[in-house]
Amino acid sequence: MPKVTVDGIELEVPQGVTVLQACELAGKEIPRFCYHERLSIAGNCRMCLVEVAPGPPKPQASCALPAADGQTIRTDTAMVKKAREGVMEFLLINHPLDCPICDQGGECDLQDQAMAYGRSFSRFEENKRAIDDKYMGPVIKTSMTRCIQCTRCVRFAEEVAGEPELGMLYRGEDAQITSYLERAVTSELAGNLADICPVGALLQKPQIFESRPWELRRVPAIDVMDAVGSNIRLDVRQRQVMRILPRINEDVNEEWIHDKTRHHVDALVRNRLDRPWVRPKEGEGAGKLREADWGEALDVFAARLKKAGAGVAAIAGDLLDAETMYAAKKLLEAQGSALLEGRQTGLAYDISSLSAVAFNSTIAGIESADAVLLVGTNPRWEAPLINTRLRKAARKGARIFAIGPEVDLGMRVEWIGNDLKLLGKIPKGVSEAFEAAERPALILGPGALAGNALGAALALAGPLRLVRPSTSSGQAAWNGFNVIHTAASRMAGLILGYAQPGGIADIEAAEPQMVFLLGADEVAADRFKGAFKVYIGHHGDVGASSADLVLPGAAYAEKHGTYVSLEGRVQRGERAVFPPGEAREDWAILRAVSELAGQALPFDSLDQLRDSMIADYPELGRDGLIDLPWAPPELDSKAEGAVRYPIADFYLTNAICRASPTMRRCSEELLHGREFREAAE
């Protein structure tokens, strides 16, 4: 490894690192605008100048200079200081004095570095130029006069998002960044453009002029918009979540989140259930929901629960935490019922081995795959942050094959057909690619699970060499068999037993007298006819409109919760705000009714509930990946039929998103082509 000296500190650095990275390894801060750890090197802002010997007697851009053995690097000389001040002076020639009204103020790299490395005066007297703002869609607000042409946004759009919709026009002083024909940016990751912009040129349009960074309290949480388990931060002012930002987790979401995660925040205060509702069966107002107080609602709940006996079922929604599902399961056990299900849309795959329905390669590990077969999945909509990992693999040379309707995944994909019977007879070109691969992977999506293709996919684990020999620890050296789920609650629900052999059809066939809809809004309203439906949830969506008793629960941001991602990673989110109005945490509602029904649950606090849950399910008490030994079940390997992707609208997949004005506008404009005019038009 090369040995370099940074400001008198001698150290060894990995082969291939740049001088900037070597300086950071030595603990030195190097200012930069165009350089970003996850993007290719541009070398065009020149803010990262350092003095390097041997070399020319002038400052050099450290981000684009490879570290070499014997280099002496100086970051604190008078030459370096003067050069950085000169660069900053150039960058500020045309920059407007917008700091008091710019939403980036307080989190602006240009602002911070101008204070640390700039001069207190400028020698330029020419008029500042101005550039018209560009239209980039419902998510990004532009103020292009502030742009310093670092091209981070251009590189992100092409390299990470896979949508090369941004570019630079003209040259010199006339250079400007714009989208193609000034159209809306269509990527699901567009919100990250504002995060990586080092100035206030790109901002989050839905949150513009809403808050200042120093007003906000930061609370760590876990995203529930999909099953990836992205690490997020809820920024709270008083009793409202004002914005959602990503937290860095290299094993899960790196530092990105998709737009559905970021911009559903406006729905947390809209269309909320904040008081109980009862639908009387007779008398005045029969058949219509009316407001009730908690005493009346719980009395009705308890009376119906006693009457139903063992004829009680629970359906878990897609956004549910493990604690709520565990409390509901204990309540049903006290009633003598085991009718639990979490697959609302009717899926009925075998769960005798959790490893057969998990993402075994891990989210970070799929980057190293060199041959991938996608079966019945559109990862760009089902798990956008897994799609970014697949794009990385493709850029490294991995071949991506797919069975299903052709869609744009932002990378080169070899589509081999849209019939699941192809799993029984893999084309020769695909099998040859997998034979030559060192880390082959198969990704099975919900479209294939709906077509009962799990057995056919498992049958390919041997022929395609997806699972490599075990190591001395008993774990497989490489397991390339992966399943993508779309519900944040799915893996925890499977662990807790929320799965019937025949899926939700088994519960319907049992004809329960009472059904708990635990935030379950995707269940068809005409199911469970004759049953008394109790909806415990946070938004007045489909589930609430079809229920006989509606009890206001807490959204994920309003309670502590445990979630298990599709790769089997146990993570916990914290409560950021309290539920609105008379709403209560879901487990507390179940605890209250259990006492009225004479079957009091054995916990009085969240800590006691978690202790009980972990005692019964120790895997839910750990942090990180659950051990899932590879033990695939023997299933019917025959599958046929065309694939249909379950997500028809990326932006409106759950009750929270459907209540969000931003998500509705994204859907209408980006997916359905509706035109929205700006005020100036």
Side-chain angles (χ1 to χ4, degrees):
M1 295 196 300
K3 285 187 177 181
V4 299
T5 302
V6 181
D7 292 344
I9 302 171
E10 187 174 344
L11 71 157
E12 284 190 356
V13 296
Q15 189 70 40
V17 304
T18 63
V19 169
L20 185 150
Q21 292 169 320
C23 292
E24 290 190 331
L25 290 172
K28 302 296 179 179
E29 180 181 327
I30 304 296
R32 84 292 296 272
F33 293 112
C34 68
Y35 176 79
H36 192 280
E37 292 82 354
R38 303 185 196 279
L39 303 176
S40 60
I41 293 171
N44 55 4
C45 78
R46 320 307 286 181
M47 193 64 203
C48 61
L49 295 172
V50 296
E51 196 174 341
V52 181
K58 63 178 182 179
Q60 299 188 60
S62 60
C63 70
L65 182 66
D69 194 45
Q71 281 179 335
T72 299
I73 304 164
R74 297 298 302 273
T75 69
D76 55 0
T77 63
M79 180 195 293
V80 169
K81 182 176 184 295
K82 183 178 180 181
R84 290 176 179 172
E85 289 177 348
V87 170
M88 182 61 70
E89 194 173 355
F90 272 114
L91 289 173
L92 295 176
I93 289 174
N94 290 307
H95 196 77
L97 300 177
D98 277 348
C99 294
I101 56 127
C102 177
D103 261 27
Q104 200 83 346
E107 296 175 327
C108 176
D109 292 350
L110 185 65
Q111 194 178 58
D112 295 342
Q113 294 183 39
M115 290 291 293
Y117 302 101
R119 289 193 178 103
S120 60
F121 63 91
S122 174
R123 292 168 289 179
F124 289 91
E125 298 179 354
E126 290 78 8
N127 293 331
K128 292 178 181 287
R129 70 165 184 176
I131 298 176
D132 291 339
D133 292 346
K134 312 298 181 184
Y135 182 71
M136 292 191 182
V139 166
I140 295 296
K141 169 76 172 66
T142 64
S143 182
M144 300 313 294
T145 302
R146 302 170 185 164
C147 179
I148 61 172
Q149 287 85 43
C150 69
T151 70
R152 277 188 184 182
C153 56
V154 177
R155 286 173 283 146
F156 173 86
E158 182 173 355
E159 298 168 11
V160 179
E163 290 290 334
E165 299 175 298
L166 300 179
M168 182 179 287
L169 296 179
Y170 316 125
R171 301 180 66 182
E173 188 180 7
D174 296 324
Q176 54 184 279
I177 302 291
T178 182
S179 59
Y180 180 66
L181 297 181
E182 296 196 23
R183 292 178 179 170
V185 177
T186 60
S187 171
E188 298 80 20
L189 303 173
N192 296 288
L193 292 171
D195 283 354
I196 63 172
C197 181
V199 295
L202 302 179
L203 299 167
Q204 307 290 357
K205 183 179 286 187
Q207 281 103 46
I208 198 79
F209 304 135
E210 289 289 333
S211 62
R212 287 294 199 176
W214 52 84
E215 300 176 317
L216 304 176
R217 177 170 52 88
R218 303 172 180 180
V219 181
I222 303 300
D223 174 39
V224 297
M225 294 295 113
D226 56 29
V228 173
S230 299
N231 287 210
I232 58 175
R233 190 184 88 199
L234 305 177
D235 283 2
V236 181
R237 184 176 64 193
Q238 297 178 2
R239 294 195 62 176
Q240 183 175 347
V241 180
M242 301 302 296
R243 66 176 182 178
I244 297 174
L245 295 176
R247 288 186 291 134
I248 296 177
N249 188 323
E250 300 294 346
D251 294 327
V252 184
N253 58 304
E254 298 178 293
E255 61 183 85
W256 319 121
I257 53 175
H258 55 77
D259 292 346
K260 192 164 57 174
T261 299
R262 187 186 299 270
H263 292 302
H264 74 263
V265 65
D266 54 2
L268 294 177
V269 293
R270 287 177 169 83
N271 199 29
R272 291 301 303 270
L273 298 173
D274 59 359
R275 69 201 70 181
W277 295 77
V278 175
R279 192 189 306 272
K281 295 296 184 181
E282 54 189 26
E284 185 179 353
K288 295 182 179 180
L289 286 171
R290 65 167 175 81
E291 294 182 27
D293 57 33
W294 271 109
E296 179 187 359
L298 290 175
D299 286 342
V300 171
F301 194 175
R304 286 283 184 168
L305 192 60
K306 290 178 181 178
K307 182 180 178 181
V312 183
I315 311 297
D318 292 349
L319 313 181
L320 219 54
D321 56 294
E323 287 83 355
T324 299
M325 289 187 282
Y326 178 77
K329 180 177 182 178
K330 298 301 286 185
L331 181 55
L332 261 67
E333 284 180 353
Q335 293 288 121
S337 172
L339 295 176
L340 304 168
E341 184 55 72
R343 297 165 294 181
Q344 304 177 65
T345 55
L347 296 180
Y349 46 82
D350 187 282
I351 63 155
S352 57
S353 171
L354 280 182
S355 62
V357 291
F359 204 86
N360 294 290
S361 297
T362 72
I363 295 170
I366 198 65
E367 282 185 24
S368 61
D370 45 7
V372 181
L373 175 61
L374 306 177
V375 183
T377 180
N378 175 7
R380 181 170 170 177
W381 280 11
E382 294 161 6
L385 296 170
I386 288 180
N387 199 53
T388 63
R389 304 277 190 169
L390 288 173
R391 288 200 72 256
K392 281 189 184 181
R395 293 180 67 202
K396 295 174 186 176
R399 294 183 66 182
I400 312 294
F401 305 94
I403 298 174
E406 294 191 21
V407 291
D408 179 13
L409 297 181
M411 57 187 151
R412 185 176 183 273
V413 178
E414 300 176 46
W415 297 90
I416 61 176
N418 183 23
D419 195 327
L420 293 174
K421 68 181 180 182
L422 288 167
L423 292 173
K425 189 177 181 181
I426 294 294
K428 184 178 179 182
V430 179
S431 58
E432 288 177 350
F434 272 73
E435 285 177 10
E438 293 185 5
R439 293 196 161 202
L442 181 147
I443 299 179
L444 195 70
L449 291 175
N452 296 317
L454 180 59
L458 287 169
L460 289 175
L464 296 185
R465 301 165 53 247
L466 299 177
V467 183
R468 295 305 172 89
S470 299
T471 60
S472 57
S473 65
Q475 296 293 323
W478 168 257
N479 189 336
F481 188 87
N482 305 294
V483 173
I484 285 184
H485 300 293
T486 57
S489 64
R490 184 58 42 81
M491 286 299 287
L494 296 181
I495 292 170
L496 290 167
Y498 276 75
Q500 302 295 310
I504 202 169
D506 282 4
I507 294 183
E508 196 169 16
E511 298 182 353
Q513 298 180 45
M514 189 176 195
V515 177
F516 298 172
L517 299 176
L518 304 173
D521 291 288
E522 316 308 322
V523 179
D526 59 350
R527 286 197 129 159
F528 311 118
K529 292 179 180 177
F532 186 84
K533 299 179 187 177
V534 179
Y535 179 80
I536 303 176
H538 38 78
H539 280 77
D541 204 72
V542 179
S545 64
S546 65
D548 300 298
L549 176 63
V550 178
L551 302 177
Y556 77 98
E558 298 153 3
K559 56 186 174 183
H560 300 280
T562 300
Y563 303 92
V564 183
S565 71
L566 49 73
E567 63 177 345
R569 185 178 300 276
V570 180
Q571 302 179 109
R572 291 171 185 82
E574 296 183 15
R575 180 173 59 201
V577 293
F578 288 95
E582 298 177 28
R584 297 292 183 266
E585 293 186 42
D586 305 6
W587 73 266
I589 297 172
L590 296 169
R591 171 64 180 82
V593 77
S594 71
E595 187 161 355
L596 291 175
Q599 303 283 358
L601 294 175
F603 40 78
D604 297 315
S605 66
L606 179 67
D607 288 340
Q608 292 177 1
L609 187 159
R610 279 187 170 169
D611 290 343
S612 178
M613 180 177 72
I614 292 169
D616 290 345
Y617 300 93
E619 59 267 47
L620 295 178
R622 65 179 302 168
D623 293 316
L625 291 173
I626 298 171
D627 294 327
L628 297 174
W630 178 245
E634 294 290 336
L635 302 176
D636 182 6
S637 61
K638 183 179 179 181
E640 60 182 13
V643 171
R644 187 178 67 85
Y645 300 133
I647 297 180
D649 191 322
F650 171 73
Y651 297 101
L652 302 176
T653 54
N654 57 59
I656 297 180
C657 291
R658 289 190 286 269
S660 166
T662 303
M663 292 294 97
R664 289 200 301 269
R665 175 162 175 177
C666 286
S667 171
E668 292 173 11
E669 183 173 355
L670 302 181
L671 300 184
H672 301 293
R674 181 180 171 188
E675 292 187 2
F676 288 83
R677 293 188 178 275
E678 296 295 291
E681 298 178 303

